[in-house]
Amino acid sequence: MNNIGAIDIALAASVTAILATCSPLVVRRQQHLRAIMCLLLAITAALAVAAGISGLLGSHGQTTLPLGLPWMPMHVRIDALAAFFLLLIGALLLPAAIYSQGYLRHVKQLIPMVVFLPLFVLGMIGVVISDDAYTFMLFWEVMSLASYFLVTFDHHQAENRKAGFIYLLMAHLAGLLILGSFAVLYAASGSLEFQPMRDAPLSPVWATGAFLLAAFGFGTKAGVVPLHGWLPDAHPVAPGNISALMSGIMLKIAIFGFIRIIWDLIGAGDFQWWWGVLILAAGSSSAITGVLLAMQQSDLKRLLAYSSIENIGIILIGLGLAMLLARYDQPAMAALGLVAALYHTINHTLFKGLLFMGAGAVVHSTGTRNMEAMGGLIHRMPWTAALFLVACVSISALPPFNGFVSEWLTFQTALLAPQLGSAMLTAMVPFSAAMLALAGALAAACFVKAFGVVFLGLPRSDMAIHAHEIDHWMKAGMIIPALLCLLLGLLPVSIIELLDGIPQLLLHVSLTESVQTHGWLWLTPVHASQASYSAPVALTGMLIIGGAAFLFLHPKGHAVRRSTAWSCGTPETNNRMQYSASSFSQPMRRIFSAIYQPEEQLHTERRAHPLLTTRVSYLVHVHDLAVDKLYQPIANYVLLQAKRLDRRHQQDIRSYLAYTFYTILFLLALLSVQQSAMEQRNQPAATSQSQPPATLPGLTSGQTGTEVRR
C-alpha cells in the first residue's frame, strides 16, 4: 500500500465534522455553540485542503474502515480525482465557516444548523473518498437528508416546506437511479468494491444501461435541464451560508459521481459516440436555458440559482467534448476538455459561493430578496459591493479572473478539435462552442443587471435606505474566495499542472508538456502557434490602458464636477426614474418570448378625474417550461390518484369487512393451489420407485438408457 497520509488527513476531517455535530450535547449557550461549530468546520476545511493537495501531489492510498456491516465493511480511497474534489470542498468550506460566524449571529435557534451542517459536510467528504458502492450510497444519503433539513431550516414558512419536499423527492429519485447504475456494475463484477468494477468487462448493452442510470441520477442532483425543477426553489429559501455550500459544492459532488462512474468505473474505452452527444446536448441546453431564466428573475437568490444551472451546463459541455474526443482516439484533446471542465468546476465553486455569500449579506442587511426593493447599496455596503463585483466579473468570464480561463479552455477544445467520425458529429462541436459563446454573452448581461439594480442608482425602498455594512467575519469570509478567483485567473499554468494527475488517471495522458512550453507565464493548451494566453500580461495591459484613460479623462488639477442628472425637465429625480430588474430584462423577454411565454398584467389606479393617474403597477410572470410541461402534469396525476385512493379509505365499516373477507378468500385459494402443486410434485417420485424402468423409445434390444429422475 502506498503512503496513506492523504487518507489519514481526510479521515481526520471526517472526525472533526462528527465532533461538530455532537457539540450541542456539551455546549448550551448559543454564542459558544456557533463559535465551536464554525471553528470545527474551519478545521475540517483546512484538513480537506491539506488532503486534497497531498493527493494531487501523489500521496494516494486506500484502507478499510472497521465500520459498516459485518459482511460489508467500508472502503475508502484517495486518488487524484478524489483529492481534487476534497480540495474543492475545503476551498469554499473554510470561508463559509468564517462567514457563518457573523451571518448566524442573530439566529435564535442554532441546534438544527449545528447538527445538520456538519453532517452535510461529512456526507460530501464521505462520497468523495468512498471506494465501494455501499459506502458511496450511505454517505450520499447522509448528504441528501442533511441538506433537506438545512433547506427547511426556517420551516415556519409554507414556501420553505414546499421547496424542501420537492428537493427531498428529487434527491431520492436521483439516489434510486444511481443505485440502479451500481446494480448493473455489481451484476457484471460480482462485487460492490470499485476495483473489481473497473476490472470487470461490460457488454455495450449493460454499459449503456449503467451510463443512462448514472447520467439521469447525477443530472437530477446537479440540476441539469430538464431535471432542474427543484433547484430554483430550494436554493433561495435556504440560509445564505447553506446556499453557498449547496450551489458551490453539493452540485459538484454530482459532477464527481458522474466522472467516477462513467470515466473511472466504466472507463473511456467503453464509451459510445452518442454518450458524448447526449452530454453535449444536455450541457448546451442547460447553459442556454439557465441563463435565459436567470435574466428574468427579480429574486436575487433565485437568479443565482438559475445561473448555477447555466454553469453546470458549461461543465457538461467540456465533459461531452472530452467524451466524444476520447471515443475517436484523441486522448490529448480529450484531456484538454476534461481539464477545462474540472477547472470550471472549481471556478464555479469559488465565484458562486462568493455570489451567494454576497446575496446573503444583502438579504441580511435589507431583509428582502426582491431586487426591485434594492438600489444604491454601494454607498451603504461598499465592501459587499466590491466583493460582489469581483464575483460578477468572474462569472461573466472576463479576464484576468478565473472564469475566463476555464471557458477559454473549453473554447479551445471545441475549436481545435479534429474531424470526428461523421459530418454530424464534426458540426456539433462548433455548435456547442456557439452555444457556449451565447451563454457567456447572456451571463455578462445578467450580472450587469444584478449588480446594477442591487448596488447602483437610488434606493427603491426604506429597507435599502436603512441598509448597513456587514461585520468583519462576513467580510473575511467573502475576501478569501475573491482572492482565490483572482489567483486562479492569474496562474492557470500552475493550476493545470496540479490537476494533471486526473487525466493521467482516467486517460493516461499528461498535459504538463504542452502547457509548460513557455513556462508559467503563458498558457498553451495545444501549441503556441494555435492558441496561447497570459493572464499577467493581460492584466498589465488593462492596468496601463485603464490608467492612461483615467489620466486623460481626469487630468491633474481638474476637479470632477458633480451636479444633478438631467431629468427631462422634471423638477427632481426620484427612485422611479431608473431601470428596474423587470425593465432591464424586457428586451430579452421580447426576443425569447417563445421560451418565456410571459404573462403580463398592467394595473392602473385613477382618482375621480379620469386623466389623473395615481398609481401604475406592472406584473410579469415568466414560465419555466420544464416545470409547466413535465413536473406539473406528473404532480397533477399523482394528486388525482391520491384523491381517488383517499375516497377508498373513507368508506364505511361494511366496505372494510368486505375487503377483509376477499383477502381471506384470496389467501385460502393461494394456499390450496400451493398444496396441490406440492402433491403433484411428490406423486411421480413415488411411482418411479414401484415400477421397473421402461425401455426408452428409439433403443433397440440390448441397449440401455439412462434413467432420468425428477
Side-chain angles (χ1 to χ4, degrees):
M1 184 180 294
N2 297 328
N3 180 16
I4 60 171
I7 283 285
D8 293 334
I9 299 173
L11 293 178
S14 302
V15 171
T16 309
I18 294 173
L19 292 176
T21 299
C22 298
S23 58
L25 298 176
V26 294
V27 179
R28 297 300 178 187
R29 297 190 63 179
Q30 294 287 308
Q31 57 182 0
H32 296 163
L33 197 60
R34 182 184 69 248
I36 290 174
M37 180 196 72
C38 294
L39 176 61
L40 291 177
L41 286 179
I43 295 173
T44 303
L47 292 173
V49 169
I53 295 176
S54 177
L56 288 172
L57 294 177
S59 178
H60 302 164
Q62 58 188 23
T63 188
T64 301
L65 301 179
L67 301 172
L69 301 176
W71 62 91
M72 195 182 299
M74 300 173 66
H75 302 83
V76 293
R77 176 173 180 260
I78 286 186
D79 54 13
L81 181 63
F84 169 73
F85 280 89
L86 279 175
L87 176 61
L88 182 147
I89 291 171
L92 184 59
L93 179 60
L94 178 60
I98 298 172
Y99 176 90
S100 298
Q101 174 66 14
Y103 182 82
L104 299 175
R105 185 183 300 275
H106 301 291
V107 176
K108 296 180 180 179
Q109 183 54 262
L110 272 179
I111 291 181
M113 179 77 69
V114 174
V115 171
F116 292 109
L117 178 53
L119 278 179
F120 178 52
V121 173
L122 174 66
M124 293 189 292
I125 294 175
V127 167
V128 168
I129 65 176
S130 297
D131 198 33
D132 63 76
Y134 165 70
T135 306
F136 187 101
M137 292 305 303
L138 177 65
F139 283 110
W140 182 271
E141 289 302 314
V142 169
M143 176 185 72
S144 298
L145 290 174
S147 56
Y148 161 75
F149 288 103
L150 295 173
V151 168
T152 57
F153 178 73
D154 188 9
H155 58 86
H156 301 289
Q157 300 185 19
E159 177 191 9
N160 298 15
R161 296 195 299 271
K162 178 183 176 182
F165 171 75
I166 295 174
Y167 168 68
L168 189 64
L169 180 65
M170 298 299 288
H172 280 82
L173 175 62
L176 287 174
L177 293 170
I178 296 165
L179 188 61
S181 180
F182 279 127
V184 173
L185 297 175
Y186 172 78
S189 63
S191 174
L192 289 174
E193 296 183 37
F194 285 169
Q195 190 57 49
M197 291 182 182
R198 294 185 187 96
D199 299 335
L202 274 177
S203 66
V205 174
W206 288 112
T208 297
F211 163 76
L212 289 175
L213 289 168
F216 282 98
F218 292 115
T220 301
K221 192 68 171 181
V224 177
V225 172
L227 306 171
H228 67 284
W230 63 271
L231 195 151
D233 293 331
H235 285 206
V237 301
N241 58 338
I242 302 304
S243 299
L245 293 176
M246 289 183 65
S247 183
I249 303 178
M250 188 188 74
L251 300 185
K252 313 310 180 308
I253 299 301
I255 298 296
F256 164 80
F258 177 82
I259 297 175
R260 175 65 80 194
I261 291 183
I262 306 303
W263 286 79
D264 187 18
L265 302 187
I266 296 178
D270 291 326
F271 286 173
Q272 304 294 320
W273 66 268
W274 61 270
W275 295 8
V277 173
L278 179 63
I279 299 302
L280 201 57
S284 300
S285 63
S286 297
I288 297 298
T289 304
V291 71
L292 284 177
L293 290 172
M295 276 286 296
Q296 303 302 320
Q297 305 305 314
S298 298
D299 185 322
L300 179 58
K301 294 184 72 175
R302 194 174 181 87
L303 181 149
L304 298 180
Y306 273 115
S307 173
S308 294
I309 298 172
E310 178 231 345
N311 283 273
I312 290 295
I314 294 174
I315 296 171
L316 291 182
I317 288 175
L319 290 177
L321 290 171
M323 293 176 72
L324 271 177
L325 293 166
R327 171 64 181 82
Y328 287 99
D329 298 325
Q330 299 291 333
M333 293 301 300
L336 179 61
L338 178 61
V339 168
L342 293 172
Y343 210 121
H344 198 75
T345 299
I346 192 169
N347 287 345
H348 182 252
T349 294
L350 294 171
F351 57 63
K352 186 51 63 70
L354 177 56
L355 283 168
F356 267 113
M357 285 191 279
V362 170
V363 175
H364 182 272
S365 180
T366 62
T368 180
R369 304 197 311 256
N370 185 11
M371 296 167 61
E372 307 289 13
M374 299 178 188
L377 296 183
I378 192 172
H379 302 293
R380 295 158 182 80
M381 305 176 69
W383 278 91
T384 304
L387 295 170
F388 196 89
L389 180 61
V390 170
C392 290
V393 173
S394 300
I395 198 172
S396 300
L398 297 176
F401 290 93
N402 56 350
F404 176 81
V405 177
S406 54
E407 292 197 26
W408 184 80
L409 289 173
T410 308
F411 275 119
Q412 297 308 312
T413 306
L415 299 177
L416 301 178
Q419 298 290 318
L420 299 180
S422 66
M424 182 191 72
L425 295 179
T426 303
M428 279 202 65
V429 173
F431 175 78
S432 65
M435 293 297 101
L436 179 60
L438 177 59
L442 292 173
C446 177
F447 283 93
V448 167
K449 163 190 166 177
F451 185 83
V453 173
V454 173
F455 292 100
L456 304 182
L458 299 174
R460 295 177 174 85
S461 66
D462 292 338
M463 294 179 288
I465 293 174
H466 297 99
H468 56 83
E469 185 59 277
I470 54 178
D471 63 15
H472 296 301
W473 287 107
M474 297 172 71
K475 289 178 189 175
M478 295 175 65
I479 288 172
I480 295 174
L483 293 176
L484 290 176
C485 286
L486 181 60
L487 182 65
L488 266 70
L490 291 176
L491 301 175
V493 175
S494 302
I495 302 301
I496 292 176
E497 290 175 5
L498 190 63
L499 303 183
D500 195 51
I502 301 176
Q504 291 183 28
L505 171 71
L506 302 177
L507 292 168
H508 310 291
V509 174
S510 174
L511 289 178
T512 304
E513 295 182 2
S514 62
V515 299
Q516 281 185 338
T517 304
H518 297 284
W520 67 272
L521 186 60
W522 289 90
L523 174 61
T524 54
V526 179
H527 194 272
S529 61
Q530 295 177 311
S532 59
Y533 166 68
S534 175
V537 172
L539 177 60
T540 303
M542 287 188 290
L543 290 176
I544 292 174
I545 295 174
F550 180 82
L551 292 176
F552 177 77
L553 296 174
H554 305 281
K556 187 176 181 180
H558 292 267
V560 178
R561 185 170 65 91
R562 298 181 181 275
S563 61
T564 304
W566 182 58
S567 57
C568 302
T570 57
E572 61 180 5
T573 59
N574 57 65
N575 57 12
R576 296 178 64 84
M577 300 171 125
Q578 58 185 342
Y579 264 57
S580 63
S582 299
S583 60
F584 190 99
S585 55
Q586 188 265 353
M588 289 296 173
R589 194 162 57 247
R590 298 295 185 194
I591 295 172
F592 296 99
S593 59
I595 297 176
Y596 291 132
Q597 297 183 359
E599 294 181 2
E600 300 176 344
Q601 298 177 358
L602 182 65
H603 298 281
T604 304
E605 298 178 6
R606 302 181 186 275
R607 293 180 180 174
H609 195 282
L611 297 180
L612 296 178
T613 301
T614 58
R615 180 178 178 84
V616 177
S617 62
Y618 171 75
L619 301 176
V620 59
H621 175 71
V622 173
H623 289 271
D624 188 336
L625 292 183
V627 174
D628 292 346
K629 304 299 183 183
L630 179 62
Y631 294 98
Q632 199 61 48
I634 295 175
N636 292 338
Y637 176 78
V638 171
L639 289 176
L640 177 63
Q641 298 302 321
K643 289 180 180 178
R644 291 178 177 176
L645 188 61
D646 184 61
R647 286 197 295 267
R648 297 274 185 182
H649 285 171
Q650 296 182 8
Q651 295 181 357
D652 55 15
I653 187 64
R654 292 173 295 178
S655 300
Y656 286 104
L657 291 175
Y659 292 154
T660 306
F661 177 69
Y662 293 142
T663 302
I664 293 173
L665 288 181
F666 174 75
L667 293 176
L668 289 175
L670 187 65
L671 184 61
S672 64
V673 170
Q674 183 181 9
Q675 186 174 2
S676 62
M678 292 178 61
E679 292 176 354
Q680 291 178 2
R681 189 181 302 116
N682 296 330
Q683 185 176 0
T687 56
S688 63
Q689 293 177 0
S690 60
Q691 296 178 355
T695 305
L696 293 177
L699 294 179
T700 61
S701 59
Q703 293 178 321
T704 61
T706 303
E707 182 181 359
V708 180
R709 296 182 181 271
R710 288 178 179 248

